[in-house]
Amino acid sequence: MNKPVSGSEADNCRTMATGVDARDLRCLFTLRTPDNTGGSRVALEYASSIVANGGRVLVVHGPIDNFRERGELYLEELREAGVELLEDKSLDQPFGTRIVSRLVREVQHRKINIVVGINQRDRPVAVAVACKAGVKSVVCGLNQLAFHGPLILPAIKRRLYAHWVNKTDLIVSSSQFVTQEYLVEFGVPEDKLVELVHGIELEDVKESSGLVRQVTREDLGIDDKTTLYVNIGRLERQKGQDMLVQAFADSHFKSTSKLLIVGSLDNADQVHVSEVKKLVGELGLEKRVIFTGWRNDFIELLSAADVFVHSARFEGLPLVVLTALALGKYSILPDNASRPPGYVDGCHGLLFESENVRALTDCIDKSYSEAPERKSQMGKSAANLIRSRYDMQVIRLQFVELLLGVLQGKKMNIAA
């Protein structure tokens, strides 16, 4: 298996650097969920880099109407970058032969030579299209996986997924946790896996001024004496907001802290949303836990926070975690794929045992009582880690090199 890759200092996406001859790449990306989450951001970065370096990309995405609340973020940026877009509403439906046949025709008509699957549910579609069209395919393993449904349906979905990902030419894994899942759970051969960490646009990640922090806190009804914890992510069981609320209730500093839960309440797992809100009521936290719904000012919210806390049961190195750490935010993370490689407990922030509410509670207590100088030092160390190793400009060029290697039938070996 190839080594993980990393980067250094970055340029803005609008002034994307070139340096790889990608004129041979004619790509189709499948993107089931054209929303504001990490998968869409990754699609934007990778597709834009291919075009900037001379290649062509068509992004076939799911229905926009499902994400109106969040806006069509990234789609316009894709257009501006020279990426072609095609909406196919059936991409949001269960796997079927009709969409495969339609996309095969697109592949043949546009002379596409490589298909890239981004989201969990569209990756089997991408591989099936590539197999039927006789072209190469790449799966982006962005996170650890869960399969939902009644009775034996999750097992059927898992077997279907394993069947198709084993037919792909390359799986680009975001972390060692994801790599192990593909090796052990899905039986993917080692030579089909390469690790390429997520990255962020470092030039875009700058902490807001003290005035913006003050105004943001005032708008949220948070005074200077209150310790503000912020959690940002999709409201679904994977993200563990239920465990976070319980741990927050169990902490020893009930009257002097508040928790901000940021994420869409409409485009969310409604069962999970109901359970979390019910738990908030049962624990008497209505005045201490704030649900903001979807927000696009997360930099300002992170700047207003005293502590960033991520509580996911499983993950794939979320971009919001990288962003919070790049801002120098004192953080609490689970010891799963939410933790960036290189992140050390007590040096860059605090780690707790994943899915252990008691351990999360202990970290919340420690974060409250930790000396300000110690918090500041951990935040600075975290920012240095991200800015030295998670530069998206470097990472997206390495992705282009991976695609070229697949196209040329070469075994990739990108140095760390």
Side-chain angles (χ1 to χ4, degrees):
M1 185 184 66
N2 298 292
K3 293 180 179 180
V5 296
S6 57
S8 56
E9 196 58 35
D11 280 339
N12 185 284
C13 183
R14 290 179 294 278
T15 57
M16 186 177 301
T18 59
V20 179
D21 186 353
R23 286 175 292 178
D24 290 338
L25 289 177
R26 299 183 299 277
C27 307
L28 184 152
F29 280 39
T30 55
L31 181 66
R32 172 183 169 254
T33 54
D35 58 7
N36 295 345
T37 53
S40 296
R41 183 72 200 185
V42 167
L44 168 63
E45 298 293 351
Y46 290 169
S48 300
S49 186
I50 292 167
V51 174
N53 286 280
R56 288 161 39 200
V57 180
L58 167 68
V59 172
V60 179
H61 59 82
I64 296 171
D65 287 343
N66 291 2
F67 303 96
R68 288 293 182 187
E69 180 203 358
R70 306 179 191 182
E72 297 174 28
L73 191 61
Y74 304 145
L75 292 183
E76 187 56 39
E77 291 181 58
L78 282 164
R79 289 191 191 95
E80 291 174 356
V83 175
E84 294 183 77
L85 299 176
L86 176 64
E87 182 181 43
D88 193 319
K89 294 184 178 181
S90 61
L91 196 60
D92 195 34
Q93 298 169 3
F95 185 98
T97 58
R98 290 185 177 180
I99 186 172
V100 172
S101 297
R102 280 199 299 275
L103 294 187
V104 166
R105 288 194 293 271
E106 289 291 341
V107 167
Q108 294 170 340
H109 174 69
R110 298 169 184 265
K111 294 181 170 52
I112 284 165
N113 53 21
I114 191 163
V115 182
V116 180
I118 299 292
N119 296 135
Q120 175 178 338
R121 280 178 56 181
D122 64 53
R123 293 169 200 158
V125 174
V127 179
V129 169
C131 287
K132 191 169 182 179
V135 300
K136 302 291 187 178
S137 68
V138 169
V139 163
C140 290
L142 302 177
N143 51 12
Q144 293 174 290
L145 304 178
F147 298 88
H148 305 288
L151 303 175
I152 64 170
L153 188 56
I156 294 173
K157 289 180 178 179
R158 180 176 289 273
R159 290 186 64 181
L160 180 68
Y161 188 86
H163 169 78
W164 285 111
V165 296
N166 271 278
K167 289 180 176 292
T168 194
D169 295 282
L170 184 70
I171 296 171
V172 182
S173 161
S174 64
S175 73
Q176 61 180 333
F177 296 93
V178 175
T179 297
Q180 282 300 116
E181 184 173 64
Y182 277 94
L183 288 170
V184 177
E185 298 295 328
F186 303 121
V188 174
E190 221 175 297
D191 61 3
K192 283 192 175 185
L193 282 154
V194 61
E195 286 178 19
L196 182 66
V197 297
H198 290 171
I200 56 175
E201 292 291 344
L202 297 175
E203 288 294 320
D204 294 342
V205 180
K206 297 176 182 177
E207 187 160 13
S208 302
S209 67
L211 177 60
V212 172
R213 170 185 163 89
Q214 179 183 345
V215 170
T216 303
R217 287 176 69 98
E218 288 176 355
D219 289 343
L220 295 167
I222 309 295
D223 60 36
D224 292 337
K225 297 179 181 179
T226 298
T227 302
L228 180 61
Y229 293 78
V230 172
N231 172 270
I232 301 176
R234 299 188 308 276
L235 268 75
E236 57 184 50
R237 190 175 184 278
Q238 172 194 341
K239 299 299 184 179
Q241 288 96 349
D242 54 330
M243 296 186 298
L244 175 57
V245 167
Q246 184 63 62
F248 194 65
D250 294 342
S251 70
H252 295 146
F253 305 98
K254 294 182 172 60
S255 62
T256 50
S257 60
K258 289 189 177 182
L259 170 63
L260 205 64
I261 296 180
V262 183
S264 172
L265 297 173
D266 295 329
N267 292 309
D269 179 348
Q270 294 304 318
V271 173
H272 180 69
V273 171
S274 297
E275 289 175 350
V276 174
K277 286 189 171 183
K278 180 181 179 182
L279 187 60
V280 168
E282 291 174 347
L283 297 172
L285 297 175
E286 294 94 334
K287 294 183 178 180
R288 294 184 56 224
V289 175
I290 303 169
F291 294 91
T292 69
W294 179 258
R295 298 276 294 249
N296 59 11
D297 58 341
F298 62 94
I299 296 291
E300 288 81 358
L301 294 174
L302 286 170
S303 298
D306 298 295
V307 182
F308 169 75
V309 56
H310 195 73
S311 53
R313 290 178 164 89
F314 59 93
E315 263 298 358
L317 191 52
L319 299 183
V320 68
V321 170
L322 297 181
T323 301
L325 299 183
L327 287 169
K329 193 57 56 179
Y330 182 79
S331 61
I332 300 173
L333 304 179
D335 60 354
N336 55 27
S338 304
R339 172 188 62 190
Y343 183 100
V344 177
D345 183 28
C347 175
H348 303 105
L350 303 180
L351 284 176
F352 67 94
E353 182 183 7
S354 178
E355 300 190 66
N356 186 328
V357 174
R358 179 68 259 171
L360 177 53
T361 302
D362 290 344
C363 281
I364 291 174
D365 285 343
K366 186 174 182 179
S367 71
Y368 189 88
S369 58
E370 193 99 68
E373 297 80 9
R374 178 71 174 149
K375 290 181 181 179
S376 176
Q377 183 55 52
M378 286 191 196
K380 289 177 181 178
S381 296
N384 290 337
L385 170 68
I386 302 306
R387 293 185 179 278
S388 67
R389 297 180 61 177
Y390 295 89
D391 170 9
M392 178 52 83
Q393 180 178 352
V394 173
I395 292 165
R396 61 188 170 222
L397 288 177
Q398 290 171 330
F399 182 80
V400 176
E401 291 174 343
L402 287 174
L403 294 191
L404 288 169
V406 169
L407 200 60
Q408 297 162 6
K410 296 179 180 179
K411 184 176 180 180
M412 301 308 298
N413 184 24
I414 298 179

